[in-house]
Amino acid sequence: SRHPCARLVVAGSELLEATPYAPLIGPTILPVLGAVPDAAIVFFSGFGNDAQEQLDTGMGALAGSTVMLLTIPWVLNIVGGAVDLIEKDGELSGDYPSAESDPEGCGRGNLRDPKGWNIFTTGIEVDTESIQASGWWMLVTCIPYVVIQIAAFKYVYYDDASYADAEKPYAWVGFAFCCIFFIAYLVYQLWITSGDSREDKTAAKAEALMQQGVPITAVLSHHVDGTTGGDEEAPVASSELPEYGSSGDEKPSTALVGVNKVILKTIKPTFDKYCTVPEDGGEKYLDADELNIVFGKEFGINKRADQLKLIFAEFDTDGNGEISLQEFCVGVEKFLKGTLDKDDDAEDEEEEEPMTAAIKALSAGTLMVLLFSDPLVDVIDELGDLTGISDFYLAFLLAPMVTNGSELIASYRFAQKKTKNSITNSLQQLYGAAIMNNTMTLGVFLLLIASQGLYWDYSAESIAIVFVQVVLFGLCFTKVMTVASGFAVLMLYPICLVGVYILESGLGMS
């Protein structure tokens, strides 16, 4: 994509994959960033002499963003992440690597004919547990719409001033619900991404990045200050550890103590790939030549022979000429912290930590979009005056393309990885976008209604917004989705737009 905002958001999201917060990208981080410009448009539309009329622009942005993000990106993600659908054990499933060979769901799926595929025999497979949780959150966060609509229907025949006064208590209640749901959702996301499961997923993604050629210093540097499970300065000697490493011994590596869990889970496959397995069933180890290969081939770090000799001596804490898994993990952590081979590394160019770089990229991308929010309200208002088209319809069609373009592209880029994790992450992002609009953006809208003497007269728009979310809620229970089903979802976009027009013009909901 040539969209500069999108490039920054995508780059920041990919950098976050190398941090402990990678699981939050889809359901939380990208949706929050995407909702900020929409909330800003709603906020700026609620001020001025013609605030009530300008509020149509805010509603158009809210409705357009919610409906667009649940329809257009939905089909784009299914098309971008499409793999062959095959029958396994009597059930249709995506052609991804087996769970035994790819337990983390990071393996790329197969699409035999990318140019001539059939929309009925290709599609995606998702992690239904994660998608269903997001679907339930989306449905529950529709409650504020119900609250304000009770007032809208109840006092529909009041004059404007009385209408605004009568709706005010309902607007405050709806705003309170928005705040509660917003905080609860963020707390929930932090809770489900904590603990060992987060470490497993982080380690899998870190290993995948290393396989793509990203240096270990960039991938794992953020994790060196995490929980180590012990004192890395005084690691347990190999003789004190359970016997591990014999060809028939499959004791879990978590028996090791004094090492960083994420680093252990990330680099253990590399250790197992190059280590020597003694014939007598003793502990696995790396010798000097094997360590040199690991640094050069796997870590992408090239050192002189004398430097590598010093590094080996630092790793080999017991001086027996062999580096155990315990010593390897502790040595890598020290290397990342800069406490190992410090003088030689001082000449190397320091790489920016992924977390810092991600924050910079995401902030810059969001700020660039945010700067256009206030002028966009004025432009849509002027365009409506010139064309005679309602501000709502103009904002419904135009605002999402400006405010959510980067979010749309970022989601599509994730889907193109064609892994079960990436497509699940992409669809979670779309559900997350709806949740953020139901909480953050709608919360700002209701705050304006309650505090600025404005009234809510958007029954048709509310029905359209809730309708599309109920339909997408039903899809969250579907494990396999064909490309054809994606195009069916796409039809909801024009249906909602036409539906609003019919409800307003035909049934008088305006």
Side-chain angles (χ1 to χ4, degrees), residues 21-306:
Y21 305 100
L24 295 175
I25 296 173
T28 306
I29 295 173
L30 289 179
V32 168
L33 294 176
V36 169
D38 293 321
I41 288 178
V42 170
F43 178 78
F44 290 125
S45 69
F47 293 91
N49 296 329
D50 56 347
Q52 186 64 57
E53 293 181 9
Q54 284 193 161
L55 210 56
D56 289 351
T57 301
M59 172 48 72
L62 173 59
S65 172
T66 303
V67 175
M68 187 274 282
L69 285 171
L70 288 175
T71 54
I72 297 177
W74 191 277
V75 67
L76 288 177
N77 285 343
I78 293 182
V79 170
V83 299
D84 293 320
L85 298 179
I86 57 178
E87 191 169 326
K88 293 180 181 179
D89 301 325
E91 294 183 358
L92 200 63
S93 61
D95 190 8
Y96 300 101
S98 65
E100 292 76 16
S101 62
D102 180 33
E104 301 295 339
C106 296
R108 185 178 177 87
N110 298 313
L111 184 62
R112 286 188 296 269
D113 187 3
K115 294 183 179 180
W117 43 266
N118 189 309
I119 62 173
F120 298 101
T121 58
T122 57
I124 59 171
E125 181 182 344
V126 298
D127 175 8
T128 53
E129 183 178 353
S130 301
I131 296 295
Q132 285 175 21
S134 296
W136 278 109
W137 272 103
M138 181 181 68
L139 187 67
V140 169
T141 54
C142 286
I143 289 176
Y145 283 107
V146 177
V147 173
I148 193 63
Q149 274 305 126
I150 291 175
F153 287 133
K154 186 176 181 180
Y155 306 112
V156 66
Y157 297 111
Y158 282 32
D159 60 70
D160 290 354
S162 300
Y163 198 26
D165 290 338
E167 285 184 336
K168 185 176 293 185
Y170 292 84
W172 280 118
V173 172
F175 173 70
F177 270 115
C178 288
C179 293
I180 292 171
F181 288 148
F182 179 76
I183 295 171
Y185 179 70
L186 295 183
V187 171
Y188 167 76
Q189 290 299 330
L190 289 172
W191 174 68
I192 65 172
T193 54
S194 62
D196 289 339
S197 61
R198 184 191 69 184
E199 291 166 355
D200 290 336
K201 292 180 179 179
T202 301
K205 291 181 178 180
E207 183 183 0
L209 288 172
M210 288 169 58
Q211 291 175 352
Q212 295 171 15
V214 181
I216 188 175
T217 50
V219 173
L220 290 178
S221 59
H222 182 76
H223 300 284
V224 295
D225 292 322
T227 303
T228 61
D231 183 6
E232 73 273 15
E233 297 301 329
V236 179
S238 300
S239 60
E240 299 175 11
L241 293 171
E243 288 188 3
Y244 170 81
S246 61
S247 57
D249 192 356
E250 296 297 335
K251 292 183 179 180
S253 60
T254 50
L256 299 177
V257 293
V259 298
N260 184 298
K261 292 180 180 179
V262 173
I263 292 178
L264 170 62
K265 293 175 181 179
T266 302
I267 65 176
K268 182 182 176 295
T270 299
F271 178 88
D272 290 339
K273 181 178 179 180
Y274 292 98
C275 70
T276 297
V277 180
E279 294 182 1
D280 60 2
E283 187 178 11
K284 297 178 182 178
Y285 65 87
L286 292 175
D287 59 25
D289 292 334
E290 292 163 345
L291 182 66
N292 294 353
I293 294 173
V294 168
F295 262 81
K297 187 174 181 180
E298 299 293 332
F299 292 174
I301 299 174
N302 297 312
K303 295 286 185 181
R304 301 189 306 270
D306 58 325

Side-chain angles (χ1 to χ4, degrees), residues 74-75 78 119-120 475 478 480-490:
W74 191 277
V75 67
I78 293 182
I119 62 173
F120 298 101
L475 285 179
T478 305
V480 176
M481 305 178 198
T482 63
V483 174
S485 71
F487 284 108
V489 170
L490 179 63

Side-chain angles (χ1 to χ4, degrees), residues 1-3 5-7 10 73 76-77 404-416 429:
S1 169
R2 294 182 179 180
H3 195 306
C5 304
R7 283 202 301 269
V10 170
L76 288 177
N77 285 343
N404 300 112
S406 58
E407 188 180 15
L408 186 155
I409 296 170
S411 175
Y412 178 66
R413 284 281 298 276
F414 272 117
Q416 283 185 306
Q429 179 189 340

Side-chain angles (χ1 to χ4, degrees), residues 441-452:
T441 309
L442 180 59
V444 172
F445 208 119
L446 295 179
L447 180 61
L448 290 173
I449 298 293
S451 62
Q452 293 296 111

